[in-house]
């Protein structure tokens, strides 16, 4: 019997892209979410069966999931939504995939590793741009230099925007500051803690450290103890972040969070169709060891959200014939060349 896939949060920006990708590939899925009007509209557009359900409806959710082999969870912020879905999946014996990039969500889900093995299911957060390309690149670099104990990852998009869900997640977590991994431990650092210029294949770009999921996933799969992740940013933006980072505690206050969230929900929509189709994302990686050896490579991929739709659906499909269980990163499950299975993805070894 074919792998039955449920897309939860299908009406959100990225969830809708994933649903449309499934339709384009001829993959039979069902969709679900709590927004009845939006889910019904998407079901009418795609002719997919639908379910209206809230994560808080625990028994109803578990019962629904028993009919599916895999759920692609797209409803963020995942710090609020991931664990209820994971716990339902453990009881229903349904593989769990999501598209989070939040550090602490990866850590929280890792704690269910033994329970997932016992249930015979896979827990695989981060099957979108967060973190498939960087996870595959980190594993590839570790294979090239097994003695490596320091890793730098950096990425920048040529034409990209931010979805409403991503913006809400960033606003929710900004009060926590930045993070790097140092000597095997997560270290809390200021926002834009380190700033440096990277030479991508299309241009030089200033980048700043960010609290990206690979601080968890790359460490989990490679055990590299020192990891920094950088994202492209203008010097003007970096200057603003440094200027206001002392006020980050304000975004931890409930009523201010609510104001920011409302503003985001009324103004942020995500990349437009032209940028989705024509945009590119560039990912650089460098691994180093104590002897002064290093190895670098670059990935060139389609636009981040465009790629997410493809990696999420393909991850779900690949689980159909895979004898896997427990917590896994994408490259642990599918190999470091998984990212190369997608059109218009190129990996270049750098001098």
């Amino acid at each position: 019997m074919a792998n039955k896939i449920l897309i939860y949060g299908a009406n959100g920006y990225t969830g809708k892209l994933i649903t449309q990708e499934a339709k384009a590939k001829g993959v039979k899925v069902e969709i679900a979410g709590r927004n009845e009007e939006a889910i019904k509209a998407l079901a009418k557009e795609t002719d997919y069966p639908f379910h209206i359900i809230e994560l808080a409806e625990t028994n109803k959710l578990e019962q629904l999931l028993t009919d599916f082999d895999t759920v692609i969870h797209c409803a963020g912020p995942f710090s609020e939504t991931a664990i209820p879905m994971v716990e339902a999946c453990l009881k229903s014996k349904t593989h769990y995939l999501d598209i989070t990039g939040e550090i602490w969500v990866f850590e929280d889900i890792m704690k269910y590793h033994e329970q997932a093995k016992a249930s015979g299911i896979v827990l695989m957060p981060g099957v979108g741009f967060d973190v498939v390309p960087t996870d595959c690149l980190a594993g590839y670099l570790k294979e090239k230099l097994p003695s490596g104990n320091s890793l730098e990852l950096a990425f920048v998009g040529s034409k990209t925007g931010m979805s409403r869900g991503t913006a809400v997640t960033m606003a929710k977590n900004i009060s926590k500051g930045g993070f790097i991994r140092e000597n095997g431990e997560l270290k809390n650092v200021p926002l834009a803690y380190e700033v440096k210029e990277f030479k991508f294949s299309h241009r030089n770009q200033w980048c700043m450290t960010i609290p990206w999921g690979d601080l968890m996933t790359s460490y989990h799969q490679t055990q590299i103890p020192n990891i920094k992740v950088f994202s492209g940013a203008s010097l003007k933006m970096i200057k603003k972040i440094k200027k206001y980072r002392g006020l980050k505690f304000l975004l931890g206050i409930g009523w201010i969070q609510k104001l920011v969230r409302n503003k985001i929900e009324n103004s942020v929509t995500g990349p437009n169709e032209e940028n989705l189709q024509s945009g590119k994302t560039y990912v650089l990686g460098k691994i180093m060891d104590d002897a002064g050896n290093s190895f670098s490579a670059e990935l060139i991929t389609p636009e981040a959200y465009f790629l997410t739709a493809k990696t999420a659906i393909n991850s779900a499909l690949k689980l159909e014939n895979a004898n896997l269980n427990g917590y896994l990163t994408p490259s642990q499950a599918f190999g470091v060349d998984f990212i190369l299975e997608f059109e218009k993805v190129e990996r270049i070894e750098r001098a």
Side-chain angles (χ1 to χ4, degrees):
M1 191 173 93
N3 183 14
K4 285 194 70 178
I5 300 168
L6 177 70
I7 302 174
Y8 185 85
N11 56 291
Y13 179 83
T14 311
K16 190 172 183 179
L17 289 177
I18 294 169
T19 302
Q20 291 169 337
E21 175 67 14
K23 188 69 177 178
K25 288 175 68 73
V27 179
K28 292 182 179 180
V29 303
E30 296 185 25
I31 63 175
R34 66 178 187 171
N35 186 326
E36 184 171 355
E37 183 180 354
I39 289 291
K40 284 184 174 179
L42 184 59
K44 185 176 181 181
E45 174 190 327
T46 59
D47 200 30
Y48 281 143
F50 68 91
H51 309 269
I52 308 303
I53 185 168
E54 301 230 13
L55 292 176
E57 298 176 281
T58 307
N59 293 334
K60 184 179 176 183
L61 180 63
E62 290 169 12
Q63 187 61 42
L64 174 63
L65 289 174
T66 58
D67 291 333
F68 295 91
D69 300 292
T70 303
V71 62
I72 305 175
H73 181 42
C74 304
F78 294 93
S79 57
E80 299 174 7
T81 67
I83 296 308
M85 182 64 83
V86 166
E87 292 182 344
C89 285
L90 289 167
K91 291 179 180 178
S92 63
K93 301 186 185 301
T94 305
H95 295 309
Y96 172 91
L97 308 179
D98 74 29
I99 53 171
T100 190
E102 299 171 59
I103 295 176
W104 309 114
V105 174
F106 289 101
E107 183 179 53
D108 288 344
I109 294 175
M110 282 181 198
K111 296 172 184 175
Y112 290 86
H113 173 64
E114 292 301 328
Q115 290 174 251
K117 288 175 66 177
S119 293
I121 67 167
V122 168
L123 301 178
M124 196 186 310
V127 296
F129 182 80
D130 316 0
V131 293
V132 171
T134 44
D135 189 53
C136 290
L137 186 57
Y140 175 74
L141 292 172
K142 183 64 173 177
E143 287 184 359
K144 290 294 185 179
L145 187 65
S147 59
N149 59 7
S150 292
L151 174 69
E152 288 185 348
L153 297 166
F155 59 89
V156 66
S158 63
K159 295 179 180 179
T160 194
M162 187 179 295
S163 77
R164 183 181 291 113
T166 298
V168 167
T169 297
M170 287 183 66
K172 179 179 175 62
N173 292 315
I174 198 170
S175 64
K176 297 176 182 177
F179 287 87
I180 61 171
R181 189 171 286 276
E182 189 172 274
N183 297 322
E185 301 293 330
L186 281 177
K187 180 180 178 181
N188 194 194
V189 296
L191 296 167
Y193 169 70
E194 185 174 337
V195 176
K196 62 191 298 184
E197 189 175 27
F198 286 86
K199 188 175 182 180
F200 294 90
S201 59
H202 68 310
R203 68 169 186 255
N204 289 2
Q205 174 68 52
W206 286 99
C207 297
M208 63 181 186
T209 48
I210 61 168
W212 195 248
D214 281 278
L215 297 174
M216 286 293 180
T217 54
S218 290
Y219 178 68
H220 180 76
Q221 66 140 326
T222 67
Q223 293 298 298
I224 296 172
N226 302 294
I227 303 173
K228 294 175 183 174
V229 184
F230 295 79
S231 177
S234 68
L235 288 176
K236 183 178 179 180
M237 177 185 288
I238 292 169
K239 186 177 179 180
K240 280 186 177 180
I241 289 172
K242 287 187 172 184
K243 180 179 179 181
Y244 292 110
R245 63 189 178 190
L247 301 176
K248 65 183 176 66
F249 72 92
L250 291 173
L251 281 171
I253 299 172
W255 67 270
I256 294 180
Q257 274 272 334
K258 187 175 181 179
L259 282 176
V260 172
R261 189 165 181 161
N262 287 340
K263 184 176 177 62
I264 288 169
E265 289 174 349
N266 291 324
S267 61
V268 179
T269 57
N272 61 36
E273 185 64 24
E274 179 186 352
N275 289 345
L276 277 173
Q277 296 293 332
S278 62
K280 292 184 178 181
T281 308
Y282 301 81
V283 184
L284 276 176
K286 182 177 182 179
I287 188 170
M288 299 148 279
D289 67 13
D290 288 336
N293 300 306
S294 66
F295 186 87
S296 299
E298 181 178 20
L299 285 172
I300 303 174
T301 79
E303 194 278 335
Y305 289 97
F306 182 88
L307 180 66
T308 290
K310 297 181 179 299
T311 55
I313 283 294
N314 277 44
S315 295
L317 292 173
K318 288 175 82 71
L319 288 178
E320 182 176 356
N321 299 312
N323 184 25
L324 299 169
N325 56 63
Y327 174 91
L328 295 166
T329 74
S331 69
Q332 282 181 315
F334 308 133
V336 300
D337 291 337
F338 174 47
I339 187 63
L340 300 181
E341 296 178 14
F342 301 94
E343 288 184 16
K344 298 181 181 179
V345 174
E346 184 179 2
R347 187 173 63 204
I348 305 166
E349 294 187 3
R350 301 285 296 268

